[in-house]
Amino acid sequence: KDANLLSKEETFAIFEKYKPTHVIHLAARVGGLFAHMGNNCKFFRNNMMMNDNIMEASLKHKVKKLVSCLSFSMFPDKTSFPIDETMLHNGLPNPSMFGYGYAKRMVDVLNKAYHEDHGCMFTSVIPCSTFGPHDNFDLEGRVIPGLIRKAYEAKKDGTTFEIWGTGAALRQFIYNLDLAKLFIWALREYQEIDPIILAPDEADEVSIKDVAMMVLDAFDFKGDVKFLTDKSDGQLKKTASNAKLRTYLPQFQFTTTRQAIRETVQWYVDNYHTARTGRK
């Protein structure tokens, strides 16, 4: 790694070294639902430090545009659906991961403050749950990468494939190759300070159970499957509207979840020995 972004000195040093004119801020301390439980203080403080260091370095080095990555986890836990960008600060985030949720919300607050006080073009995007080649397949990380690793190991070892929860929760997923295209578009073309949701259409929402079956199908898994119904499902619904995105890019074609899972599974199988499988 080039720098520890929790360190102001190292963050400023890397900006001084590369002198970027445009920055995409993806850095975060992040994990799955169970990684957040009991660690809200750490998630809040670490993410706030990174955000502050990157924004201050961007100001000092006169970065022309900064695009930060937010998260669906910051939206109110109790809300109406579909969620849209105007609802971000309308209530408390999910109590199991409120530290991370509030830290992400503060990026939007700071974007507006830096623009008002200094004229900075700092903005943000809000992708739904992401996955794809080169992902981090941490078992305590995000949904699909974790399921892919579990399925690979269950097939290899001849063990039961276990899914935490009932599988009833509904989610929208975005393939990381699609997301990369949208990030470049946002960096070049999106001129609002207010955030924009990057997600497939509402009709593409799928249950965790269906996603798990897609993963197993991609592996041609024939073993036993067990739902651990004593484990939490998290938020049962996070449906988001991409109406704002569609006003800008009405013809953008998202890769289907099934096809994206097949491609990601193949990448993982081909790169099993070098794929990331935990936090560094």
Side-chain angles (χ1 to χ4, degrees):
K1 295 179 180 179
D2 291 320
N4 176 6
L5 297 174
L6 294 173
S7 163
K8 181 176 180 179
E9 292 74 20
E10 290 191 35
T11 304
F12 274 54
I14 200 170
F15 271 72
E16 181 63 35
K17 178 179 179 181
Y18 291 107
K19 295 180 172 57
T21 59
H22 295 71
V23 174
I24 296 176
H25 170 23
L26 302 178
R29 174 175 286 276
V30 65
L33 174 66
F34 301 97
H36 286 265
M37 292 179 176
N39 291 297
N40 277 294
C41 183
K42 179 185 290 185
F43 276 93
F44 181 80
R45 295 189 70 247
N46 283 180
N47 284 293
M48 287 296 292
M49 279 188 267
M50 279 186 272
N51 297 338
D52 186 58
N53 291 338
I54 288 166
M55 288 186 172
E56 274 295 288
S58 295
L59 173 66
K60 178 181 177 182
H61 289 274
K62 297 180 171 58
V63 166
K64 293 179 181 178
K65 191 170 186 180
L66 168 65
V67 179
S68 297
C69 186
L70 305 187
S71 168
F72 272 34
S73 301
M74 64 187 179
F75 279 106
D77 186 44
K78 297 178 180 178
T79 187
S80 58
F81 296 97
I83 298 165
D84 67 38
E85 295 85 352
T86 67
M87 301 162 70
L88 177 55
H89 300 285
N90 287 357
L92 302 176
N94 187 296
S96 62
M97 50 199 312
F98 69 87
Y100 178 74
Y102 275 120
K104 285 297 185 181
R105 285 187 189 187
M106 290 304 103
V107 173
D108 179 54
V109 173
L110 286 168
N111 283 343
K112 291 176 171 64
Y114 273 95
H115 180 68
E116 182 177 308
D117 294 357
H118 304 289
C120 296
M121 185 57 213
F122 292 177
T123 188
S124 55
V125 299
I126 313 173
C128 59
S129 187
T130 68
F131 71 98
H134 303 279
D135 213 321
N136 188 335
F137 296 84
D138 184 355
L139 291 176
E140 295 185 2
R142 288 169 294 105
V143 177
I144 292 180
L147 289 172
I148 288 173
R149 181 178 169 191
K150 280 185 180 180
Y152 181 94
E153 293 179 357
K155 182 175 181 178
K156 176 172 65 73
D157 299 336
T159 55
T160 298
F161 177 74
E162 296 183 339
I163 304 166
W164 284 35
T166 66
L170 297 170
R171 295 291 184 268
Q172 288 156 291
F173 294 95
I174 186 168
Y175 194 30
N176 63 14
L177 300 183
D178 292 343
L179 183 58
K181 295 174 186 176
L182 291 172
F183 260 109
I184 297 302
W185 167 79
L187 192 68
R188 291 175 174 171
E189 306 293 340
Y190 185 63
Q191 296 301 319
E192 297 185 36
I193 301 300
D194 289 331
I196 184 168
I197 288 171
L198 304 181
D201 302 325
E202 294 170 45
D204 297 324
E205 188 175 52
V206 293
S207 71
I208 299 303
K209 178 180 179 180
D210 287 344
V211 165
M213 295 306 109
M214 291 178 195
V215 169
L216 296 179
D217 180 62
F219 276 108
D220 193 28
F221 181 83
K222 304 298 184 184
D224 294 330
V225 178
K226 181 179 181 180
F227 287 87
L228 303 181
T229 56
D230 59 321
K231 305 294 185 182
S232 173
D233 283 315
Q235 285 180 275
L236 288 178
K237 191 175 179 65
K238 291 185 179 181
T239 314
S241 168
N242 67 0
K244 184 175 182 178
L245 175 65
R246 285 303 188 191
T247 63
Y248 284 102
L249 298 172
Q251 302 303 319
F252 187 85
Q253 295 291 315
F254 288 92
T255 307
T256 66
T257 301
R258 183 177 297 276
Q259 179 61 29
I261 285 174
R262 285 192 174 278
E263 293 179 13
T264 306
V265 164
Q266 188 59 57
W267 183 91
Y268 185 71
V269 170
D270 292 342
N271 297 275
Y272 174 72
H273 294 293
T274 56
R276 291 183 295 156
T277 55
R279 298 179 191 87
K280 303 299 183 184

